[in-house]
Amino acid sequence: MNWIWNAPRRTLALIFVDCAAMMGFGMYLQHVVGLEPCPMCIVQRYCLIAVGVLALIGSLKPSTAGWWKSFAWLAVLFAGFGAFTAARQSWLQWYPPEFATCGRDFYGMIENYPISRSLPMIFRGSGDCTAIDWTFLGGSIANWSFVAFTVFFIVLLLAIFKAKR
């Protein structure tokens, strides 16, 4: 584990590469395989993009530890929010609501409702958020997304707290 705290900027760059690869695989599943993302999947994508971009920015400037740590803290926040969203979607997949409707898409909710009303609608889930269209080793996309966000969260915290000063 020395590579995490001996070279935290390299760790941030590796997190960026992981996020880019995951986004590429998500685009493959959407555009080649034909899976349409649900509202919670869209939120997870935005969190993944935010973690990746913040990790990239934090890894670029070599001068101070404060620079990369501030961006790493922001990435921790987005990784935590992404893990929460993925966990909620996994819960909905394991225990689907009794009356599931397809509901509106993410952009339709944002365009037609204020953000204070559309965010709870996203986390309530819809019929398409409970569907499991793809699995790998018994886990759905939401399950693997939760694992990835949790790993990012832990690695970022280790890099922040254990970095050599």
Side-chain angles (χ1 to χ4, degrees):
M1 297 303 288
N2 284 340
W3 63 270
I4 291 176
W5 46 81
N6 284 344
R9 288 182 41 243
R10 193 175 315 141
T11 303
L12 289 174
L14 182 62
I15 288 174
F16 166 73
V17 170
D18 292 342
C19 289
M22 288 175 63
M23 274 305 298
F25 185 67
M27 294 294 108
Y28 167 79
L29 287 176
Q30 180 177 356
H31 297 292
V32 176
V33 177
L35 300 179
E36 285 300 317
C38 69
M40 293 178 108
C41 296
I42 299 292
V43 171
Q44 291 171 56
R45 280 188 184 180
Y46 285 143
C47 287
L48 187 66
I49 290 169
V51 169
V53 168
L54 290 167
L56 176 67
I57 293 171
S59 70
L60 290 179
K61 189 173 179 184
S63 61
T64 62
W67 172 266
W68 71 262
K69 280 188 178 182
S70 59
F71 284 100
W73 273 115
L74 288 172
V76 164
L77 290 175
F78 279 102
F81 187 67
F84 169 76
T85 306
R88 177 68 180 143
Q89 185 177 4
S90 294
W91 176 267
L92 287 172
Q93 288 175 347
W94 291 331
Y95 305 105
E98 209 170 298
F99 298 102
T101 61
C102 286
R104 296 181 155 231
D105 65 336
F106 180 73
Y107 299 108
M109 284 188 246
I110 298 296
E111 287 177 358
N112 294 318
Y113 298 107
I115 195 77
S116 62
R117 189 163 171 212
S118 59
L119 277 178
M121 290 170 63
I122 291 169
F123 290 105
R124 205 173 303 130
S126 62
D128 56 353
C129 286
T130 61
I132 300 174
D133 297 327
W134 181 88
T135 60
F136 177 70
L137 296 176
S140 69
I141 297 171
N143 302 143
W144 286 110
S145 179
F146 174 76
V147 169
F149 279 120
T150 303
V151 168
F152 293 153
F153 187 85
I154 292 169
V155 168
L156 285 165
L157 284 178
L158 282 173
I160 291 169
F161 287 121
K162 298 288 186 177
K164 291 192 177 186
R165 304 194 193 288

